[in-house]
Each structure stands twice: as C-alpha cells, then as structure tokens.
Amino acid sequence: MDELYKAAVDTQAPVMEPGYTFGTVTEKISAIVLTRPASNGWFVGFGIAFLLTMMMLYAIGYLFLKGIGIWGVTIPIGWGFAIVNFVWWIGIGHAGTLISAILLLLRQSWRNSINRFAEAMTLFAVACAGIFPAIHVGRPWLAYWLFPYPSTMGVWPQFRSPLMWDVFAVSTYATISALFWFIGLIPDMATLRDRATHPAARIVYGMLSLGWRGSARHWHRYETAYLLLAGLATPLVLSVHTVVSFDFAVGIVPGWHTTIFPPYFVAGAIYSGFAMVLMLAIPIRKIYNLEDFITELHLQNAAKVMLATGLIVAYGYGIEAFMGWYSGDRYDAFTIWNRLHGPYAVPYWSLLICNIFIPQLLWIKKMRTSPVALFFLSGVILVGMWLERFIIVVVSLHRDFLTSSWGMYYPTRWDWMTYIGTIGMFLAAMFLFLRLLPAISIFEMRTLLPEAEVKE
Amino acid sequence: MKRDPVYGIMAEFDSATALVEAARRTHQAGYNKIDAYSPFPIEGLAEEIGFHRDEVPLVVLIGGIVGGLTGYLMQYWMSAVDYPLNIGGKPYHSWPAFIVITFEMTILFAGISAVFGMLALNGLPMPYHPVFNVPRFSSASKDRFFLIVFSSDPKYDPAATRGFLQGLGPRSISEVPS
C-alpha cells in the first residue's frame, strides 16, 4: 500500500470498531430483532407514525369522495403538492440505491453497515412517492390505464410522452429495489432462522430464507447475481431521476425547459437521500447502540457526499440564473427575476439558504463529526430540497407566457395532511422494519472482520 | 433404487482459512461430490470444491436482450402498427422516444433474471435439506465452517472418508442422515 494513502487511512475512524468476532457481530445485530423487547419509546414513535398514516388515509379517502378539487391545484398550477412530493420522495430513495449498488461497485466497504436500512429507506420512499401520481390522476380507480394492457377499448399508451417513460422508470426502480433488498436479506434470514427460539419466528424466517444453507456454490452464484444486479441498478438509479426531470424539461414552460435538469436532478436526489440516511442513521445508532458499526467514518463520508452533491445542485441553480440572462429570452429572464422578487420570493430565498448557504458548514470537520449537528443540518437540507421542487413545479407554472393565464397556488389542509401523512407512513414502515428485520446486513459485516480473510 | 440412509459425512472447521485448506485437500484427494458451507461468501472457495461454471451471467444476458426487444417491439407495435396515433406530427415509429422504455425494460428483465435465475440455479427455495439434520449445522449461519463429502461420491467409503476428514483437523465430524 502506498505510504501516503496508508497514513491518510490510519488517521480515519474505522469502518467497524475492533474486537468483534463473527459470533458477536451476529448476536449484536440479530438481538435487536430476536431478543430485545420493544421499548416504550418505540411504541410511542410507532404510534405517532401510525396515527399520521391514518390521517393520510383519511385525506385520501376524502379525496376519493370529493375529487381533487379539495386540493389547492387550479389552472394554471395543475401540478401542486402531489408532484412536488412525488419528486421529493423519489429523490430521497436514490441514496439507498447509490449506497447499495454504486458504492458496492466502487468497493467502498463502509457501505456494508448502512446499505440494508438505506435500501429499506429507498423502498418506503418509493412507496410514498408512488401514492402521489396515482391519486393525482383525477380518477384514481383508472390509474392502471397508465400501463399497456390489452383492453377492450383497443387503445395503447402514448409512448412519446415523458410521463409514460416515468411510469416505466419508477415501476422498474421499485421492482429492482425490492429484489435487491430481498436477495440481500436471504442469508440473514437464514441466520435469524437458526437463532430464533420462538417457533413462529423460526417458520417465518425459515420461509423467507428460502432454505439458504450457505453452500459455496450458492454463494458463488449469489455474489455474481448481486454484483450484476448492482451493475444494473447503477444506470437505473441515474435514469430514474433523469426521466423524472424529463417530465419537466421536455415541456416548454420557462423554468422547466433546460438541459441542465437531468444531472442536477440526480445530484439533488442523492443530496436529499443522504440527508435522510443521516436523519435515520443518527438516532438508530444511538438508540440501538450501534455506534461500533455505524461509526464516525460513516457520518463523515455521508457528510462529504452531501457537500459534493450540494455543490452540484448550487451549480445547477447558478446555470439556471446564468441562462436566464445569457439566453436573452425574456421569459427565461423573467422566470429568474420572478423567483427572486415575485410572490414566491420567500420560498426561493429559503431554498438558497437551506440548500446552498447553511450546508457550507460541512467544510468544517467539527460539523462533519458531530451527530447532533449533522442531524439538524440534514433536516435543513431535506426542507431545502422540498422547497426546490416546490419552486420548480409551482413557481414555473404560476407565471407563463400570457399574463391572462397567471395565477397563484395555495395548498389546502388536505394537501398538507396527505404530505405529512406520507412522512408518517414512511416512519411507521421504518419502525416495523427495525423490529422485524436485521437493520444491518449481518453477513456483509462478517466479511469486514479481519478473520474473514483467507490466509494462504 | 434404494436411497442411501447416509447423505454424507460433514466436518466442522473454525475459520475460513481452515475450510479453504480442507476443501482443497479433499478435492485433491479425489473427492468430487463435496460441498462447503460458510456464513459469508469466501473468495475462491467454490473453485476449491470444483465449481467452475457459473451460468448466472448468461441468464442475465439473455434476460436483458429479451427485455430490450420486448420493450422496443412493444412500443413499435402499439404505436406504429396496432393503433397509429398522430401526436404533433411525429412519426409513428419515433425511435428516439422509445429508447427510455427500451432501456428500463432491459434493466427490469435482466434484474428479474439475475434474482430468479440465481435462485433457480441454486435450487432454492428448498425448505428441507439433509444438512439441516445435523444440529451443529445451525452455526453455519453464524461463525462455523463446514465441509461435506456426499455419500454419492464414487470414492466415498464410510470409514475411509471419515478417517480422511479426521486427518484435516476438524473441530467435529458428523454423519448426515438423508
């Protein structure tokens, strides 16, 4: 190993604290699921999340009765909260795939302690995202018309539309994320099957493990499949937010019609996704005493990814402003002026503060290593990224080419109830996940131990 | 044909290094129907027990090609053949617009083939397997390493094979009933 590189590595926090064996790693992670009783805190947290989920169902139920007139969407702003939240949730999901697939291909072994719950986060975020387009179509009971199925009407979807591309991109993403998560779980299900004492748990984990026995032939095919799946998920995750950005960029609305959208959407997705990873990881490692597995190194690395992607996002905003001036197009120029001085100037300035100015604190090492600071900073970034989508969707639509078609958008309480409700659903799913499945990949943690190395 | 009441003889080892070494020596001793079990993937172990043909990449390749063709031909047939619809004067066969869905379908089919192909080639799900009859085998998913010589191996002989495995310095030896 290169001396300089070695010196740099030595000063870093370790991926895992020393002193663990195969047995203790296994016991520590599986104990959270198998033996540790659910605390009062868990019940309170899950209870609140569950109530919020019920609130979401109530809001959606009322929507089904009344129609989307109960929302703030009107012409010209036909894409209100539903699309803002859809893009926000899908973006959050991206960090999970980045961690599990891209970092695997790049041989970043620190991903092994956070990939499992980051993938769970992806799945739950995509589930929350999927709700919005389905309930936004106006006649949600006909949402399946989006898919090409042989119908008696004899018509097919319109494949030249980015909205159709989105249907395929998001449903492929949901399917591949679920498969990736599940095959990652198979060996750990076998571990839980062999450790569980309750007969019902043995049967359920036994079924989920599919009879995994750790044969060398099985491991070989398993690793090949896992690696190939990572290789497939890598371009997939980049394509998903690219396609989401096409929903906007292919339209001619000023503020949408720009070529910078695909890369800047992908960077923004990873930015908000890592913020969500940190907001989940920091309490989880504290409450379940997993600081030895999710170390300072993980927090620092996540902070660095946020800093880098945050700067790409800042570059995107800069290019948007530059093109508003440089293109000489009066509508583009007005879009920028309107963002800075128009009726939605407050959200736009808040966005700049949340996404660009405050995250610069991450240059300071003390901030990158302080869990509390990172937790709040991640919250700020999540708010900022939500505001970004609000600006893109609402502010672009509310002032287009003709003054006669200008309008304003005011979200109603139903909009807020649905949005906050999906956060509750996401958290409720996370709470259940922590209690029912190993939150850290046990077999991948074993490979990090020094004794896993085969000495010749 | 009468089923052999013994499925094989299994030796338990303490470390990954010991298992790889034992697998190599067993294979070199002429045993071909053997298998090794470990709580995590060990690089090179499959080769030591004589496993060289991994068909998963081929399955994924075929899945990807089928997916890509399905995606493209589906769009072509629906938009240009079965229900040609003039959208803004664009050609019925607007191939650039079909690329995104073609790509997504390629990934979808290849990914599904990777997972289900791997499971099928591994013969999973398989809820019952004779190795689970060995009580110590529950540690194979935690911190122990196992090597088995199947009774179907031509060189298998209850006493001689047991003696051979004993010579590899295992932690324990068990007979696996089928």
Side-chain angles (χ1 to χ4, degrees), chain A residues 22-24 26-27 148-149 153-160 164-165 168-169 171-173 175-176 179-180 182-183 186-187 190-195 207 209-225 228-229 231-233 235-236 239-240 243 246 443 446-447 451-456, chain B residues 16-17 20 24 32 34-42 45-47 49 51 53-57 60 74-75 77-79 82-83 85 87 90-94 97-98 100-101 103-105 107-108 110-112 114-116 118-119 121-122 124-127 129 131-132 137-143 145 150:
Chain A
F22 297 132
T24 52
T26 309
E27 291 306 332
Y149 72 104
M153 296 175 286
V155 294
W156 297 109
Q158 210 288 77
F159 292 114
R160 298 173 197 86
M164 250 346 269
W165 305 347
F168 278 83
S171 44
T172 299
Y173 185 50
T175 312
I176 296 293
L179 288 174
F180 203 44
F182 181 67
I183 79 160
I186 293 172
T191 298
L192 292 184
R193 169 198 68 201
D194 295 340
R195 303 273 91 67
M207 295 291 228
S209 72
L210 309 179
W212 183 262
R213 49 188 191 273
S215 152
R217 289 181 179 85
H218 291 188
W219 276 124
H220 194 283
R221 294 195 189 98
Y222 178 90
E223 284 227 289
T224 311
L228 287 172
L229 211 51
L232 292 165
L236 174 67
S239 87
V240 173
V243 171
F246 284 164
F443 86 90
R446 291 190 197 114
T447 62
E451 51 177 324
E453 215 171 300
V454 176
K455 293 177 243 355
E456 291 299 328
Chain B
T17 311
V20 172
R24 178 181 304 143
N32 286 319
I34 58 175
D35 204 351
Y37 303 93
S38 59
F40 56 88
I42 298 171
L45 180 60
E47 284 76 13
I49 59 162
F51 174 79
R53 242 192 33 227
D54 188 342
E55 297 96 339
V56 170
V60 176
M74 171 188 78
Q75 295 176 83
W77 182 76
M78 289 176 183
S79 320
D82 193 49
Y83 195 78
L85 193 61
I87 311 276
K90 288 174 195 139
Y92 296 132
H93 179 205
S94 332
F98 296 166
V100 173
I101 292 178
F103 169 78
E104 302 295 344
M105 293 287 276
I107 300 280
L108 180 67
I112 289 174
V115 173
F116 291 98
M118 180 273 287
L119 290 176
L121 289 168
N122 281 348
L124 299 175
M126 186 188 284
H129 193 275
V131 291
F132 293 127
F137 190 72
S138 68
S139 310
S141 64
K142 184 184 172 194
D143 54 0
F145 303 81
F150 298 123

Side-chain angles (χ1 to χ4, degrees), chain A residues 1-12:
Chain A
M1 209 189 315
D2 185 30
E3 284 304 309
L4 201 67
Y5 175 71
K6 204 171 170 179
V9 169
D10 283 345
T11 57
Q12 270 184 351

Side-chain angles (χ1 to χ4, degrees), chain A residues 129-413:
Chain A
I131 292 173
F132 286 103
I135 61 175
H136 188 244
V137 291
R139 288 184 288 169
W141 55 94
L142 298 178
Y144 65 90
W145 283 10
L146 288 165
F147 292 96
Y149 72 104
S151 71
T152 50
M153 296 175 286
V155 294
W156 297 109
Q158 210 288 77
F159 292 114
R160 298 173 197 86
S161 161
L163 298 180
M164 250 346 269
W165 305 347
D166 216 10
V167 171
F168 278 83
V170 172
S171 44
T172 299
Y173 185 50
T175 312
I176 296 293
S177 305
L179 288 174
F180 203 44
W181 191 58
F182 181 67
I183 79 160
L185 273 167
I186 293 172
D188 285 359
M189 292 291 98
T191 298
L192 292 184
R193 169 198 68 201
D194 295 340
R195 303 273 91 67
T197 44
H198 195 279
R202 292 175 70 97
I203 290 172
V204 172
Y205 290 127
M207 295 291 228
L208 290 173
S209 72
L210 309 179
W212 183 262
R213 49 188 191 273
S215 152
R217 289 181 179 85
H218 291 188
W219 276 124
H220 194 283
R221 294 195 189 98
Y222 178 90
E223 284 227 289
T224 311
Y226 199 66
L227 205 60
L228 287 172
L229 211 51
L232 292 165
T234 299
L236 174 67
V237 66
L238 299 179
S239 87
V240 173
H241 232 57
T242 301
V243 171
V244 170
S245 82
F246 284 164
D247 292 343
F248 301 97
V250 172
I252 55 161
V253 175
W256 288 5
H257 193 58
T258 65
T259 48
I260 191 78
F261 261 28
Y264 134 62
F265 264 56
V266 172
I270 293 164
Y271 190 35
S272 60
F274 265 88
M276 188 59 104
V277 166
L278 280 179
M279 285 203 86
L280 296 172
I282 289 167
I284 289 173
R285 75 196 275 272
K286 181 86 198 148
I287 293 166
Y288 292 103
N289 303 318
L290 294 172
E291 282 108 333
D292 289 351
F293 296 161
I294 304 173
T295 65
E296 207 172 70
L297 175 81
H298 298 95
L299 304 185
Q300 279 223 52
N301 284 355
K304 286 175 187 167
V305 172
M306 288 201 305
L307 186 58
T309 47
L311 290 173
I312 301 176
V313 168
Y315 172 78
Y317 299 157
I319 284 293
E320 275 189 323
F322 173 75
M323 291 311 287
W325 167 75
Y326 183 74
S327 67
D329 183 282
R330 62 201 292 204
Y331 300 107
D332 277 352
F334 174 73
T335 299
I336 302 302
W337 182 90
N338 184 47
R339 281 182 186 173
L340 290 167
H341 307 288
Y344 292 107
V346 173
Y348 189 66
W349 286 102
S350 316
L351 148 75
L352 295 182
I353 292 167
C354 292
N355 272 0
I356 299 186
F357 298 119
I358 297 179
Q360 298 313 315
L361 290 170
L362 291 172
W363 289 103
I364 306 164
K365 189 166 181 183
K366 265 220 168 67
M367 297 296 288
R368 291 202 303 271
T369 51
S370 152
V372 178
L374 276 180
F375 183 81
F376 286 105
L377 210 78
S378 302
V380 167
I381 291 170
L382 281 171
V383 171
M385 285 308 294
W386 188 86
L387 286 170
E388 180 198 297
R389 278 65 179 254
F390 181 85
I391 299 293
I392 290 172
V393 172
V394 172
V395 180
S396 306
L397 283 172
H398 93 129
R399 294 281 183 270
D400 70 356
F401 304 98
L402 292 172
T403 46
S404 58
S405 60
W406 286 6
M408 285 297 285
Y409 173 76
Y410 302 105
T412 64
R413 77 181 107 138

Side-chain angles (χ1 to χ4, degrees), chain A residues 89 119-129 181 425-426 429-430 433:
Chain A
W89 275 121
E119 283 168 42
M121 177 196 84
T122 296
L123 271 186
F124 304 148
V126 172
C128 291
W181 191 58
M425 185 178 109
F426 174 80
M430 253 356 251
F433 160 72

